[in-house]
Amino acid sequence: MTSHFIETNGIKMHYVKAGEGPKLVVMAHGFPEFWYGNYNILQSFIGSKEYTAVAPDMRGYNLTDKPGEVKAYQIKNMVDDLAGMVKGLGHEKFSLIGHDWGGIVCWVLAIVHPDLLEKFIIINSPHPAIFAREMRENPAQQAGNSYTQMFRAEGSEAKLTANDFEILVTMMMSEGLKSGVFTEKDKKIYREAWSRPGALTGGLNWYRASAQYGYGYDIKDFSVNVPTLVIWGMDDEFILSSNLNGLDGFVPDLTIQEVEGATHWIIHEKPDLVNRYIKEFLSRN
């Protein structure tokens, strides 16, 4: 793996690369991750002569630029970040993998720029129209999403920073640290990324911007006309598996892999399985 920077959409974006192939695969992480959240997927592309895989720090995270205004974190800006990065890397088309918030950016990119994509892979991240339905009609999903109110609140940085990021460590790693999914080294690496000046605010501004400014597109049709794989940890307590219901109505070419016994953090819990599903899907004609 090698570390790089690229100018895109008015910001300097950091990314880590593996593989030397002609086909490009881009991975987009969510909160409170950074490129390292895709470490296990990226590692599977080391030595590849078919694919070049890149995992960026998304806007506001770790080593990527962190604009100060909340509106700078409207989804359209992150879509343009990724599209600009791909163009800057010399590619016309690419395959896209997204998890959590990164997945929401990827859903929107797939909806508005299907011409850019060869294959599309989502891991525990809800389709925008399905999630809107769930938030309207499903009290369990409303409860699962209740933490976002605290994330959006003014001064939430202080709460999340307290006791060496105790809330974030607990939310993301409490069970994983007990089971060995996460190590003390992982915890140290995440704390270092969260501690970078402006990084926590940058990540929280994704939540604030979504409430204030929406996607930045006037989307009339939420169809995704790209071959799509959805990998879902069925024990996700934040984004419930009910978000899979009716998904085939928006995504005609859809494959769903439901993984029992995996949570929102499936990319860490079941890396071999996730990597196998990804490689099988990418190689499918």
Side-chain angles (χ1 to χ4, degrees), residues 80-175:
D80 291 345
D81 291 346
L82 293 179
M85 181 184 72
V86 168
K87 185 175 181 180
L89 292 172
H91 291 262
E92 297 295 325
K93 295 177 76 75
F94 65 108
S95 294
L96 183 59
I97 302 172
H99 172 249
D100 187 77
W101 256 119
I104 295 173
V105 172
C106 294
W107 276 118
V108 175
L109 190 153
I111 290 165
V112 300
H113 296 306
D115 53 301
L116 296 179
L117 295 182
E118 293 178 342
K119 298 282 181 68
F120 181 45
I121 300 171
I122 282 291
I123 305 169
N124 283 72
S125 185
H127 181 282
I130 299 280
F131 190 62
R133 179 200 71 199
E134 291 296 293
M135 286 299 291
R136 283 195 311 269
E137 302 175 4
N138 187 345
Q141 181 57 78
Q142 294 165 11
N145 198 57
S146 60
Y147 69 92
T148 62
Q149 297 175 12
M150 187 267 281
F151 283 3
R152 290 179 176 131
E154 185 176 349
S156 58
E157 287 87 344
K159 291 182 180 178
L160 295 178
T161 305
N163 299 320
D164 213 0
F165 301 98
E166 181 180 11
I167 291 176
L168 293 181
V169 170
T170 300
M171 175 179 284
M172 181 179 174
M173 302 183 198
S174 59
E175 293 303 316

Side-chain angles (χ1 to χ4, degrees), residues 66-86:
K66 306 162 187 65
E69 295 184 1
V70 171
K71 192 171 184 179
Y73 297 87
Q74 191 174 37
I75 292 292
K76 183 179 186 302
N77 288 319
M78 279 81 90
V79 169
D80 291 345
D81 291 346
L82 293 179
M85 181 184 72
V86 168

